[in-house]
Amino acid sequence: MHDIHVVDLSRLQFALTALYHYLFVPLTLGMSFLLAAMETVYVTTGREIYKKITQFWSKLFLINFALGVATGLTMEFEFGTNWSFYSSFVGDIFGAPLAIEGLMAFFMESTFVGLMVFGWGRLRRGQHLAVTYLVALGSNLSALWILIANSFMQAPTGAHFNPVTMRMELTSLSDLIFSHDAQAKFVHTSIAGYVTAAIFVAGVSAWYLLKNRHTELARRSFRMAVLFGALATVGVITLGDALGFVGAQAQPTKLAAMEGLWKTEPAPMPFNLVAFPSQQEHVNRGTIQVPYVLSLLVTHSLTGSVPGFDELEQQATARIRDGIPAVAALQTLSAKPNDADALAQFQAHEKDLGYGFLLQRYAPDVTAATDADVADAARDAIPQVAPVFWSFRVMVVLGLAMLAYFVMAVIYTMRNRVERKRWFLKLAVWMIPVPFLANEAGWLVAELGRQPWTVYGMLPTWMSASTHSVGYMAFSLIGFVTLYTVFIAIEMYLMVRTIRRGPDDDHAGALPHDRLHVDRMAGYAEG
Amino acid sequence: METYAALQVLWWLLLGVLLSGLAVMVGMDMGVGTILRYVGRNDGERRVALNIIGPHWDGNQVWFILGGGAVFAAFPLIYATAFSGFYVVMLLLLWSMILRPLGFEYRSKLPSAGWRNAWDWALFVSGLVPMVVFGAAIGNLFHGVPFQFSWNLTSTYTGSFLGLLNPFAILCGLLSASLSVFMGAAMVMNGAKDEIFERARTLARMGAALAIVLFGIGGFWVHGMGGYVLTAGPGAGVPQTPLQQSVALANGAWLANFDAHPALWLLPVAGFAGMLLGLLAASARRSHLAWWLGALGWLGVIGTAGVALFPFLLPSSSVPAQSLTVWNASSSQHTLLWMSGFAAVFVPLVLWYTSWAFYVMRGKVDVADVVADEHAY
């Protein structure tokens, strides 16, 4: 039986490690393509300044990349260490994209990143450029497979539950790969990475322009970043809208949480601009509404309506009751795999198995469940509304702010005025943290909104965790928090230091230019 | 049924290939980390050792990640049960391993000797600890691990962290660490000259000699050890859960496969031959040959362990009947088939471009190059 504190601690740990990992990934996704673009200009024009530009930004890319790789290791193993039931229950489906990611994408990215760094003197120009593109392709393909896996959790397709093996199994890899959720999510997420990289490069370049340092490099980098970022931001918002559209059908509870919809209302529905949702009383306080807008946003029409939690809880209650015979039959099948009656009963109620599991949290023997247990389980069927509601608004507001910023940046760049607008350059520096915050908020919307499920409608979160003790969880959490805090401090320090020293710092580590110095260093290192 | 059984065996073999890839490629890099402070007596020399594997460690590390992903995809119950059961050990593995990318990337970014020294120690820890854990985990499979399943296959691990540090597991951990030192030292010999080369040679010989002795002791140990026998169950190629079989314990059972198929003795022979000839090659300063022989040694060692355990993957010491085998822990036929397709295309492709990367970066590294190259670690 699962200790609910362990489940919560497992969630906390996964969220912390994933959010942390996700600080570094988007920058890698975007920077890799920006580097490829910069190097393309170098190779096609042959102008040395672009080689310098490429090499300088690749230093920053690598500082970020190292921590992305390091924390990615945790992710690959955390499903097994902390979500063991989840892993065995859907490993047949979920494992495949992870393995393919390693085989097809991460190998490519990691092998060629070595050549990208060390191959400057050994590869012909065209070869090195190809290597840089392969790094970008690898990292983006990697994101594709990870998001295909993630989309299975959000909108499971291409799979069924097999009572013989007591787990979910793959029925169609193409359904899994080409799920609408996966496609929209991949494009939305990877382009968000391009925006992140663009704002980072533009921000650092703006800082140089403000300090009047490396202006040649900074001006060109700024332009490329702004162009790249402006196109990408439009893409992120368009695809974010598409994702909302797709997601509304696949995950009505997430949508209701994003919009704070306690009650189903007739179309055209108003949009809650601001609200303070109360989970206890199922109402919003301090609401500011805009009429019609929700129907327009979510259904792309004025006549469309989406269900609120009152309706969703009723649906959940019915499905929970229908899940009872499914779980009971499965329990019989576990002991007697050839029981034909149990199999027939299971097949009749199979579609609500997940809801039966939801009830098992309150009634381990589902056949003895009381109405109160069913009501508790139905209340669980909706996520915590306030965090999803607010994360969504933070993401959207930051997204719109980035769009406004890029519109201005494009105008000023085209008019060649950027360097005279010091306030805008300062703004560009202050914009650097914005995409990171928006990315994290986006993760929170997607994953908090998915609750109470790890696999939407199929497997509840409470069942998915490993059966550890609270002590073990405390140990691992403290370990991760300590290590990760030290790491981020080091990473930020190196980033800032490398930026401050700028592109003319031939190599931070190559301080010992003369032989004498090497020997002196050697003496220190021995101690 | 035959197709499914064949796919299960194929993925058992591929698991062996992936574990060998992990052991050879990641083990080599970790070996360099373990011996870093000995082969390199000063900063410049250590940077030489680091830069020999500098262009490759990242790509190599994917063998480790892919190992995790492939177990997840092909044997989900193993991934779920072993990784959660070995929780504390897995954390030690992870926490030491995540020091490595940072060690490589950040170490030489600052001139401070204290900084670099600290990272050298981090690289030592992240080289030695994971290899000991890797071997010890495989060693524990021979004794079985205390876990059991509920009706819906929720696994519960009932042992302790210290239980995983039993003498046989430690022996296997040391074997794995010795082999990694051998491979790391052979790689340093490939890319270094003069004193660094000579120090690496000494370590390579020590690593190989120790590995031979440990592998020999391990063989005798297993000879008298209680092993598991699958006495009844749905069998190969039949979809099933681990709740439907009977398992007995018998002394010497881990050698039953070798007795039934004497040709399998070639695996431990290959293990010994690889390590012994590798030792001789290292002594003769033939480092490339030594490296390849070490890889053969690894294949022999991992193959021996895999065949001894077959069809078991993770025996349960608390409820032996719920032991995980190739037949009850694998993914569905559909998934295995797709995964085989991807493996058939991408494994050769990966091997091809990995070799190209080694070819591009071939040759010796020396202190002057490293100091002059602004991209070096």
Side-chain angles (χ1 to χ4, degrees):
Chain A
M1 198 52 204
H2 288 85
D3 178 343
I4 228 65
H5 298 298
V6 171
V7 177
D8 288 343
L9 289 171
S10 305
R11 282 186 65 197
L12 179 64
Q13 180 176 308
F14 196 92
L16 287 178
T17 51
L19 283 168
Y20 188 91
H21 177 58
Y22 201 52
L23 285 173
F24 312 103
V25 172
L27 194 57
T28 300
L29 291 176
M31 280 282 267
S32 59
F33 267 126
L34 258 176
L35 289 177
M38 291 163 176
E39 196 176 338
T40 306
V41 179
Y42 165 60
V43 172
T44 50
T45 66
R47 294 166 68 180
E48 282 300 314
I49 176 78
Y50 284 99
K51 183 178 182 185
K52 192 171 164 187
I53 286 176
T54 311
Q55 293 192 338
F56 170 65
W57 293 109
S58 81
K59 271 190 209 169
L60 298 178
F61 170 83
L62 287 165
I63 293 173
N64 171 73
F65 183 74
L67 205 42
V69 169
T71 54
L73 289 169
T74 306
M75 303 321 298
E76 185 83 11
F77 291 85
E78 209 169 11
F79 296 102
T81 52
N82 291 86
W83 300 95
S84 68
F85 189 74
Y86 170 85
S87 302
S88 58
F89 194 81
V90 295
D92 195 79
I93 308 131
F94 190 84
L98 289 200
I100 297 170
E101 185 261 345
L103 206 49
M104 177 193 271
F106 200 47
F107 251 126
M108 187 197 282
E109 179 186 11
S110 303
T111 305
F112 290 111
V113 91
L115 289 180
M116 187 176 100
V117 179
F118 288 86
W120 280 106
R122 297 197 178 226
L123 295 166
R124 288 195 302 274
R125 270 191 204 175
Q127 280 180 323
H128 193 278
L129 179 64
V131 161
T132 306
Y133 269 101
L134 287 170
V135 172
L137 182 66
S139 62
N140 281 268
L141 271 178
S142 176
L144 172 67
W145 287 104
I146 296 301
L147 291 169
I148 286 172
N150 178 272
S151 285
F152 177 74
M153 304 171 77
Q154 312 285 350
T157 46
H160 75 140
F161 183 86
N162 183 352
V164 177
T165 48
M166 304 286 282
R167 65 177 179 200
M168 295 192 71
E169 291 182 354
L170 186 67
T171 51
S172 164
L173 186 68
S174 59
D175 283 358
L176 181 70
I177 295 173
F178 297 108
S179 102
H180 295 303
D181 192 84
Q183 298 306 309
K185 184 161 238 168
F186 166 62
V187 185
H188 177 67
T189 310
S190 55
I191 310 185
Y194 308 165
V195 175
T196 309
I199 289 188
F200 176 79
V201 171
V204 174
S205 304
W207 187 78
Y208 286 139
L209 291 173
L210 279 169
K211 299 270 165 192
N212 211 12
R213 289 174 56 189
H214 321 295
T215 45
E216 188 73 350
L217 174 139
R219 193 178 300 132
R220 289 167 204 271
S221 302
F222 189 87
R223 281 186 182 194
M224 288 191 77
V226 163
L227 180 67
F228 189 70
L231 293 173
T233 307
V234 174
V236 174
I237 293 174
T238 315
L239 262 297
D241 173 63
L243 193 57
F245 194 65
V246 172
Q249 281 126 35
Q251 288 173 281
T253 48
K254 179 189 282 179
L255 181 74
M258 281 158 67
E259 306 298 357
L261 290 180
W262 295 105
K263 293 193 172 41
T264 312
E265 287 173 44
M269 300 173 83
F271 176 74
N272 289 326
L273 202 59
V274 176
F276 298 91
S278 157
Q279 195 82 13
Q280 208 88 56
E281 296 162 49
H282 281 38
V283 289
N284 294 325
R285 300 187 194 290
T287 315
I288 302 175
Q289 292 188 321
V290 190
Y292 301 156
V293 170
L294 185 61
S295 287
L296 269 180
L297 276 179
V298 181
T299 65
H300 294 178
S301 83
L302 276 175
T303 52
S305 170
V306 284
F309 285 127
D310 51 351
E311 200 176 322
L312 293 170
E313 262 191 51
Q314 267 176 18
Q315 286 172 11
T317 307
R319 296 193 69 176
I320 288 165
R321 291 197 186 281
D322 191 51
I324 293 173
V327 173
L330 198 62
Q331 222 152 344
T332 310
L333 283 171
S334 167
K336 288 180 278 181
N338 300 320
D339 190 320
D341 291 343
L343 186 62
Q345 182 181 332
F346 175 76
Q347 281 165 344
H349 303 278
E350 184 182 349
K351 67 174 183 16
D352 291 322
L353 177 67
Y355 286 83
F357 288 150
L358 215 50
L359 177 62
Q360 265 201 312
R361 175 171 167 189
Y362 298 99
D365 175 10
V366 284
T367 54
T370 62
D371 284 348
D373 294 333
V374 173
D376 282 342
R379 213 173 7 261
D380 274 1
I382 61 172
Q384 288 293 316
V385 177
V388 181
F389 182 89
W390 281 109
S391 303
F392 179 60
R393 269 148 196 75
V394 167
M395 176 183 77
V396 170
V397 166
L398 295 180
L400 294 174
M402 289 186 274
L403 181 66
Y405 160 79
F406 276 117
V407 169
M408 283 192 284
V410 168
I411 294 170
Y412 292 149
T413 308
M414 301 232 297
R415 290 190 189 160
N416 240 334
R417 290 237 181 105
V418 178
E419 281 163 78
R420 271 174 282 164
K421 305 262 179 202
R422 291 187 65 82
W423 67 270
F424 189 76
L425 292 176
K426 282 182 190 156
L427 174 71
V429 178
W430 284 104
M431 283 299 283
I432 292 176
V434 171
F436 293 91
L437 286 174
N439 293 334
E440 301 284 289
W443 187 90
L444 288 172
V445 174
E447 312 308 328
L448 289 178
R450 191 191 65 231
Q451 299 305 322
W453 310 98
T454 44
V455 181
Y456 193 81
M458 301 285 188
L459 179 66
T461 308
W462 78 267
M463 276 179 83
S464 306
S466 303
T467 50
H468 294 310
S469 64
V470 171
Y472 266 26
M473 287 309 304
F475 168 72
S476 58
L477 254 171
I478 292 169
F480 276 115
V481 168
T482 311
L483 273 179
Y484 279 21
T485 308
V486 174
F487 290 167
I488 192 108
I490 292 173
E491 199 253 12
M492 299 277 277
Y493 172 73
L494 287 175
M495 272 285 186
V496 171
R497 183 179 190 271
T498 311
I499 292 168
R500 278 187 194 282
R501 296 175 78 97
D504 295 329
D505 178 30
D506 48 355
H507 189 236
L511 179 125
H513 270 299
D514 50 311
R515 200 57 213 187
L516 192 77
H517 211 130
V518 174
D519 293 341
R520 207 166 63 204
M521 283 295 308
Y524 289 142
E526 262 177 295
Chain B
M1 192 177 131
E2 279 84 15
T3 317
Y4 189 25
L7 283 169
Q8 288 176 318
V9 174
L10 174 70
W11 271 92
W12 175 77
L13 284 169
L14 279 174
L15 190 64
V17 170
L18 289 175
L19 285 183
S20 305
L22 189 168
V24 171
M25 305 302 277
V26 185
M28 153 181 92
D29 296 342
M30 289 186 166
V32 174
T34 308
I35 62 176
L36 183 65
R37 298 185 61 86
Y38 180 81
V39 284
R41 295 293 168 83
N42 57 43
D43 185 62
E45 290 180 354
R46 285 180 193 163
R47 290 185 69 184
V48 167
L50 283 178
N51 280 285
I52 289 169
I53 52 167
H56 309 297
W57 71 267
D58 200 354
N60 292 343
Q61 182 175 256
V62 183
W63 286 99
F64 176 77
I65 292 164
L66 182 61
V71 177
F72 199 173
F75 298 102
L77 268 173
I78 297 290
Y79 176 82
T81 313
F83 288 14
S84 61
F86 294 158
Y87 194 57
V88 176
V89 179
M90 286 301 296
L91 288 172
L92 291 182
L93 178 77
L94 263 178
W95 291 343
S96 51
M97 274 202 75
I98 55 183
L99 292 172
R100 236 163 50 97
L102 306 182
F104 282 110
E105 206 60 63
Y106 295 171
R107 178 198 180 277
S108 303
K109 289 257 180 254
L110 296 182
S112 146
W115 166 268
R116 292 183 178 192
N117 230 334
W119 281 115
D120 290 345
W121 279 113
L123 284 164
F124 169 76
V125 169
S126 66
L128 185 61
V129 173
M131 286 320 286
V132 172
V133 169
F134 177 70
I138 294 193
N140 268 300
L141 304 184
F142 284 80
H143 283 315
V145 178
F147 67 88
Q148 60 202 59
F149 292 107
S150 71
W151 72 273
N152 68 2
L153 304 187
T154 303
S155 73
T156 309
Y157 177 76
T158 54
S160 66
F161 164 58
L162 289 174
L164 296 172
L165 299 178
N166 54 70
F168 184 73
I170 292 171
L171 176 116
C172 294
L174 292 177
L175 170 60
S176 144
S178 318
L179 269 171
S180 96
V181 163
F182 173 77
M183 295 298 282
M187 187 64 193
V188 171
M189 289 166 74
N190 281 343
K193 294 183 280 203
D194 310 329
E195 300 111 302
I196 308 177
F197 180 95
E198 290 303 325
R199 286 185 214 124
R201 176 171 166 264
T202 311
L203 282 164
R205 296 169 67 192
M206 281 165 57
L210 195 58
I212 292 166
V213 173
L214 291 170
F215 190 49
I217 297 175
F220 278 107
W221 202 323
V222 167
H223 187 72
M225 188 187 278
Y228 293 66
V229 186
L230 186 60
T231 50
V238 180
Q240 57 189 290
T241 67
L243 307 178
Q244 296 151 10
Q245 62 191 5
S246 319
V247 170
L249 273 80
N251 267 346
W254 292 137
L255 295 181
N257 285 333
F258 294 98
D259 293 341
H261 306 282
L264 293 172
W265 286 108
L266 285 174
L267 284 165
V269 169
F272 275 118
M275 295 187 282
L276 196 64
L277 296 173
L279 173 64
L280 296 176
S283 302
R285 296 187 167 76
R286 303 276 304 275
S287 63
H288 285 277
L289 182 63
W291 190 92
W292 283 104
L293 287 165
L296 175 70
W298 259 125
L299 269 175
V301 170
I302 289 177
T304 304
V307 162
L309 293 166
F310 188 88
F312 289 94
L313 290 170
L314 184 64
S316 166
S317 57
S318 51
V319 186
Q322 295 186 353
S323 293
L324 295 175
T325 66
V326 176
W327 319 131
N328 66 23
S330 82
S331 279
S332 65
Q333 175 169 338
H334 192 75
T335 296
L336 291 183
L337 197 58
W338 269 112
M339 293 299 300
S340 307
F342 277 95
V345 174
F346 286 101
V347 171
L349 193 65
V350 166
L351 292 176
W352 174 69
Y353 62 62
T354 302
S355 332
W356 184 67
F358 274 91
Y359 171 76
V360 169
M361 297 310 303
R362 70 194 179 279
K364 299 278 181 186
V365 176
D366 63 28
V367 180
D369 295 342
V370 171
V371 174
D373 181 0
E374 67 159 308
H375 302 291
Y377 284 135

